[in-house]
Amino acid sequence: MNITEAKQKFIEQWGILATQWGINRTMAQVHALLLISDKNMSTDDIMAALSISRGNANMNVRELMNWNLVRKVIAPGDRKEYFTAEKDMWKVAMNIMEQRKKRELDPMVKLLDELSKVEGDKRNPEIKSFADSMNNIKKFSEQADKIMGVMIKAEENWFWGSFLKIFK
Amino acid sequence: MNITEAKQKFIEQWGILATQWGINRTMAQVHALLLISDKNMSTDDIMAALSISRGNANMNVRELMNWNLVRKVIAPGDRKEYFTAEKDMWKVAMNIMEQRKKRELDPMVKLLDELSKVEGDKRNPEIKSFADSMNNIKKFSEQADKIMGVMIKAEENWFWGSFLKIFK
DNA sequence: CTGAATTTTCAATAATTATTGAAAATTCAG
DNA sequence: CTGAATTTTCAATAATTATTGAAAATTCAG
């Protein structure tokens, strides 16, 4: 397999994997493309590399910037904007976690909070059981939230190292 | 808010959250329904509760069984099959992790393995850079894989407890 | 300022994914 | 075995999501 084939295969597979995680396939492909590219790329470069439209390229690049996975780079003396991806996979994973935590876990904890205050007599088994379920899920969510928070803050490698040491 | 409203709201929101994770909304709703249900439910019960067709109910219940999130229960003297969900959220999370690890992380590590053996002269910067990227991502994936493996095996509460203690 | 280069928006459309429901297959009480 | 009850399949269709590409908006060199 030569380098061009390998790159194509990686981009393709990264896209497929992404769809299983609820991420737009093209967005993942743009990400993959920038991940394995030495050079910063313009919207036109991305359009050409992935055979997608300008609107599509623009939209997905901006979405990747929202996730802090891609940065805009301006080349002096050039009107075009160029893009580059965060290459450190630990940071990539942490950024994704951080965004998902903010967008999904936080609202869920809020909802569970409300729902655990359901009206009605706690001696009614149905109500008791439901309130228990909510508390149960809430506790779990809060723990997950806490752990993600700690991991996100701990960006140093020593953390990753010690984490691995403990759990082999 | 009364108990019926609360249950409906929970099912609805759980479904919305799930779509962001690449999970079929109806599947998540069936899961939520069984999670907060005291009683075991038949396909007909699920159809009625969520206003979905028989085929849809059947398909999603079976998919949830593949994920080890739902079990079939047979009631003596009854032809119908009933279903019940795993209620322990720790186990729920571990089952989901285990399945995703098997279905997604494992194939990814395999792909990266192949791609890091890309042909060509390593003194060519493009090839060198690509091989480095692959190794980088592979190392990260293997670490993630290892950690998930350890977490899945450690089903006891002491683990969860000590995990929290270490990282506050 | 001007206007060409570039980016962004968004309605129309294409592609993908989920759902229905009837037919086929299976199960099991009698 | 039989046949009614139940589960499963799957082609047709509905619903959702992604993409296009041209028009509008923005940017900035001169």
Side-chain angles (χ1 to χ4, degrees), chain B residues 49-81:
Chain B
L50 301 178
S51 307
I52 59 176
S53 72
R54 184 171 304 282
N56 201 5
N58 179 268
M59 197 193 109
N60 283 299
V61 151
R62 275 180 309 128
E63 186 62 9
L64 283 164
M65 288 195 288
N66 282 343
W67 284 76
N68 293 321
L69 298 175
V70 163
R71 283 190 307 282
K72 192 182 284 185
V73 178
I74 39 164
D78 192 340
R79 284 286 290 276
K80 277 211 188 75
E81 297 176 335

Side-chain angles (χ1 to χ4, degrees), chain A residues 1-3 6-7 10 13-14 17 20-22 35-36 38 87 89-90 93 100 104 108 111-112 115 118-119 126-127 129-130 133-134 136-137 140 143 146-147 150 159-160 163-164 167-168, chain B residues 1-3 6-7 10 13-14 17 20-22 35-36 38 87 89-90 93 100 104 108 111-112 115 118-119 126-127 129-130 133-134 136-137 140 143 146-147 150 159-160 163-164 167-168:
Chain A
M1 194 183 332
N2 68 37
I3 180 81
K7 282 189 174 182
F10 175 71
Q13 285 301 117
W14 198 257
L17 189 73
Q20 296 176 311
W21 279 90
L35 263 184
I36 59 178
D38 281 340
K87 299 289 198 303
M89 286 307 287
W90 168 257
R100 295 214 125 168
E104 295 156 20
M108 178 51 57
L111 174 75
L112 292 168
L115 294 186
V118 64
E119 281 167 16
E126 189 189 7
I127 293 174
S129 162
F130 179 75
S133 279
M134 290 303 109
N136 203 17
I137 298 171
F140 179 81
Q143 284 181 317
K146 210 182 281 182
I147 287 169
V150 172
F159 173 84
W160 194 238
F163 184 77
L164 270 181
F167 300 114
K168 174 72 88 332
Chain B
M1 195 182 333
N2 67 35
I3 180 81
K7 283 189 173 183
F10 176 71
Q13 286 302 117
W14 198 257
L17 189 74
Q20 296 176 310
W21 279 89
L35 263 183
I36 59 177
D38 282 339
K87 299 290 199 302
M89 286 307 287
W90 168 256
R100 294 215 125 167
E104 295 156 21
M108 177 51 57
L111 175 75
L112 293 168
L115 294 184
V118 63
E119 279 168 17
E126 189 189 8
I127 292 174
S129 162
F130 179 75
S133 279
M134 289 303 109
N136 203 15
I137 298 171
F140 179 82
Q143 284 181 318
K146 211 181 281 183
I147 287 169
V150 173
F159 172 85
W160 194 239
F163 183 77
L164 270 180
F167 299 114
K168 175 72 87 330

Side-chain angles (χ1 to χ4, degrees), chain A residues 28-40:
Chain A
Q29 289 182 332
V30 172
H31 187 215
L33 179 67
L34 291 171
L35 263 184
I36 59 178
S37 166
D38 281 340
K39 305 174 194 61
N40 301 336

Side-chain angles (χ1 to χ4, degrees), chain B residues 25 94 120 148:
Chain B
R25 181 163 66 245
M94 287 309 111
M148 283 169 93

Side-chain angles (χ1 to χ4, degrees), chain B residues 26-43:
Chain B
T26 303
M27 180 168 140
Q29 290 182 333
V30 172
H31 186 214
L33 179 67
L34 291 172
L35 263 183
I36 59 177
S37 166
D38 282 339
K39 305 175 193 61
N40 301 336
M41 299 186 90
S42 69
T43 302

Side-chain angles (χ1 to χ4, degrees), chain A residues 5-142:
Chain A
E5 286 171 340
K7 282 189 174 182
Q8 275 171 0
K9 198 159 186 179
F10 175 71
I11 290 169
E12 185 192 319
Q13 285 301 117
W14 198 257
I16 289 169
L17 189 73
T19 57
Q20 296 176 311
W21 279 90
I23 293 159
N24 178 293
R25 179 163 69 246
T26 303
M27 180 168 140
Q29 289 182 332
V30 172
H31 187 215
L33 179 67
L34 291 171
L35 263 184
I36 59 178
S37 166
D38 281 340
K39 305 174 194 61
N40 301 336
M41 299 187 90
S42 69
T43 301
D44 290 278
D45 296 333
I46 295 168
M47 286 167 66
L50 301 179
S51 307
I52 60 175
S53 72
R54 184 172 302 283
N56 201 4
N58 178 268
M59 198 193 110
N60 283 300
V61 151
R62 276 180 307 127
E63 186 62 10
L64 283 164
M65 288 194 288
N66 282 343
W67 284 76
N68 293 321
L69 298 175
V70 163
R71 280 192 308 284
K72 191 183 284 187
V73 179
I74 39 165
D78 192 340
R79 283 285 288 279
K80 278 212 187 76
E81 298 176 334
Y82 291 81
F83 304 96
T84 187
E86 168 61 57
K87 299 289 198 303
D88 179 335
M89 286 307 287
W90 168 257
K91 283 186 187 163
V92 169
M94 287 308 111
N95 286 344
I96 292 170
M97 269 198 178
E98 185 172 11
Q99 295 298 321
R100 295 214 125 168
K101 171 171 139 46
K102 189 158 55 192
R103 296 173 193 201
E104 295 156 20
L105 206 49
D106 293 354
M108 178 51 57
V109 169
K110 194 159 155 288
L111 174 75
L112 292 168
D113 228 18
E114 278 176 43
L115 294 186
S116 62
K117 288 183 298 208
V118 64
E119 281 167 16
D121 189 342
K122 289 295 186 301
R123 284 167 303 186
N124 177 337
E126 189 189 7
I127 293 174
K128 178 76 167 61
S129 162
F130 179 75
D132 284 353
S133 279
M134 290 303 109
N135 275 320
N136 203 17
I137 298 171
K138 200 173 80 184
K139 268 195 200 107
F140 179 81
S141 302
E142 283 166 348

